[in-house]
Amino acid sequence: MTSLRNALEVTIRREYMLTDGYHQLMSATMDDLMKRTRITFRGEEGIDSGGPSKEFFLLLSSETSKFGSIQRPFLRTADGGGFFLNGPLPQQPTPAQNEAAMSPKGLPDPKDLQVSIFDFAAFLGRLLGKAVFERQLVDIPLSHALLDAMLGHSMGSDDDEEEEEEEGVGGGSSGVE
């Protein structure tokens, strides 16, 4: 069991899952990110023995993919399924987006996260890295190309596959003469 000293303490309000999750993960130091996460949902009693963490990663990743593909066009759907990071976008939300994000009282809606695509990409990286580190499931369908890039696989073309096939049986490179 993880001791409290060796845990990243995260307190989340369910109604502000994306905003709270963003601020908690982005304000954490690298040392903190390498600790196990201990989730507390504000207003709910209970000890995080795995259930709240699992729920946190699934809910936050789902909210992140909705935000990145619907509320802000940071993610686009690939032809073969999954998400890609979208091309260059303005760093600041447009005035229309800012106006739409206002609550009836004229204050920014805390449920609407105002971030640039670069901040969103950094957050997405921290969320996915943290999920991999803690072996948690996420609800973000990523494209194969993006997954390959995240895993550090080479971004070779189809020519690489053809070369491998030619060197196999009948390719003339078997070493037998």
Side-chain angles (χ1 to χ4, degrees):
M1 179 130 199
T2 304
S3 71
L4 293 177
R5 286 188 310 246
N6 295 326
L8 170 61
E9 297 287 332
V10 176
T11 302
I12 300 291
R13 300 170 293 178
R14 283 187 185 271
E15 62 273 15
Y16 302 111
M17 176 71 67
L18 181 62
T19 306
D20 287 353
Y22 174 85
H23 291 297
Q24 294 276 338
L25 288 179
M26 293 304 285
S27 65
T29 65
M30 284 300 146
D31 288 339
D32 287 340
L33 291 173
M34 293 172 55
K35 297 176 182 175
R36 291 300 241 179
T37 306
R38 184 171 185 276
I39 304 297
T40 304
F41 288 106
R42 189 172 288 167
E44 298 178 23
E45 292 185 28
I47 297 173
D48 185 358
S49 59
S53 290
K54 180 179 180 179
E55 186 178 12
F56 167 74
F57 281 101
L58 284 171
L59 291 174
L60 182 59
S61 62
S62 177
E63 289 293 315
T64 300
S65 65
K66 288 177 196 168
F67 174 81
S69 62
I70 298 169
Q71 288 178 268
R72 297 281 190 279
F74 295 154
L75 299 173
R76 67 177 168 86
T77 306
D79 291 339
F83 288 123
F84 276 106
L85 280 173
N86 211 351
L89 294 173
Q91 288 193 13
Q92 299 299 322
T94 65
Q97 288 172 327
N98 283 334
E99 188 175 318
M102 293 293 180
S103 69
K105 296 179 183 178
L107 300 172
D109 184 352
K111 290 184 181 178
D112 187 35
L113 192 59
Q114 300 291 318
V115 297
S116 70
I117 190 170
F118 305 107
D119 292 337
F120 179 79
F123 167 64
L124 187 59
R126 282 184 175 221
L127 174 62
L128 294 175
K130 195 78 176 112
V132 168
F133 178 76
E134 296 193 24
R135 297 181 178 196
Q136 295 287 346
L137 296 175
V138 294
D139 187 15
I140 302 176
L142 298 174
S143 67
H144 290 291
L146 187 56
L147 285 172
D148 283 344
M150 289 171 53
L151 295 172
H153 297 165
S154 67
M155 299 299 286
S157 64
D158 292 337
D159 296 337
D160 293 337
E161 292 176 15
E162 290 174 12
E163 287 176 17
E164 289 175 13
E165 290 174 11
E166 287 177 12
E167 292 175 2
V169 176
S173 307
S174 63
V176 178
E177 294 184 10

